[in-house]
Amino acid sequence: MAQKIADETDRRILKELTADARITNNELAERVGLSASACLRRLRRLEETGVIKGYTTLVDPIAQGWTMTAIACVRLSRQHEDEIQMFETAVRSWDEVLECHLVTGSRDYVLKVMSAGLDQYERFIKEKIARLKCVDTIETSFVMNTIKERRI
């Protein structure tokens, strides 16, 4: 299997793109010390091998009316394949859920959920999560302040 990240230059390209995905190829090439054509070849290889999965825009959640972040820990009633599939399929369809992680320990899943406030979050719990027959318990913590948030 070919190595996806070839060297330190690939790492510098990724670091620059992580900081500013809208950077031009010419500026990127200058910052990492390559010609524009060599930089573009490396960039295409990183995309083709799946190291770069895509490009996105980060939007302020408050601008969209999402002012509350909650961390919901969910335990399923059983860890059978049909219940796992039911839960994961439902979670993928909910816009409020930004992240969902299958975890070890006393809970099965940890979800990062955004809402416009406590009333909307309560509706989300009652109308979506709690209606799933596979869910046993839901424990929520509300985020008071985000100290560090980093995307790679």
Side-chain angles (χ1 to χ4, degrees):
M1 183 171 152
Q3 189 174 0
K4 290 183 175 185
I5 299 177
D7 56 19
E8 190 57 36
T9 302
D10 281 356
R11 286 182 179 77
R12 288 197 316 267
I13 289 171
L14 295 171
K15 183 178 180 184
E16 292 295 335
L17 288 173
T18 301
D20 181 6
R22 292 183 55 149
I23 190 172
T24 66
N25 184 62
N26 288 340
E27 178 67 21
L28 179 61
E30 185 177 312
R31 289 187 189 179
V32 300
L34 293 173
S35 69
S37 60
C39 184
L40 188 58
R41 278 193 303 274
R42 282 179 178 257
L43 185 60
R44 295 296 179 241
R45 181 181 45 76
L46 291 168
E47 292 170 344
E48 289 167 4
T49 59
V51 173
I52 296 175
K53 296 195 175 290
Y55 300 89
T56 188
T57 300
L58 299 175
V59 178
D60 182 358
I62 293 173
Q64 294 183 296
W66 291 13
T67 57
M68 178 181 284
T69 305
I71 305 299
C73 297
V74 177
R75 186 172 59 209
L76 301 183
S77 54
R78 301 176 311 148
Q79 284 74 35
H80 287 87
E81 187 173 338
D82 60 330
E83 292 194 357
I84 291 169
Q85 188 172 27
M86 176 193 304
F87 181 78
E88 291 180 2
T89 299
V91 166
R92 286 186 188 101
S93 72
W94 298 333
D95 290 337
E96 299 91 340
V97 178
L98 302 184
E99 298 175 22
C100 176
H101 306 276
L102 176 64
V103 297
T104 61
S106 62
R107 301 293 184 240
D108 296 313
Y109 295 91
V110 175
L111 286 66
K112 180 177 180 182
V113 181
M114 295 288 299
S115 69
L118 192 56
D119 290 346
Q120 185 182 4
Y121 183 75
E122 180 183 9
R123 230 178 354 270
F124 167 74
I125 293 294
K126 288 179 177 177
E127 295 175 5
K128 293 183 178 178
I129 294 181
R131 285 193 178 168
L132 293 175
K133 299 205 182 316
C134 60
V135 171
D136 182 39
T137 61
I138 308 160
E139 183 180 309
T140 299
S141 296
F142 293 103
V143 175
M144 296 181 351
N145 191 11
T146 299
I147 309 307
K148 180 179 179 180
E149 186 172 56
R150 180 174 176 245
R151 297 281 182 189
I152 58 169

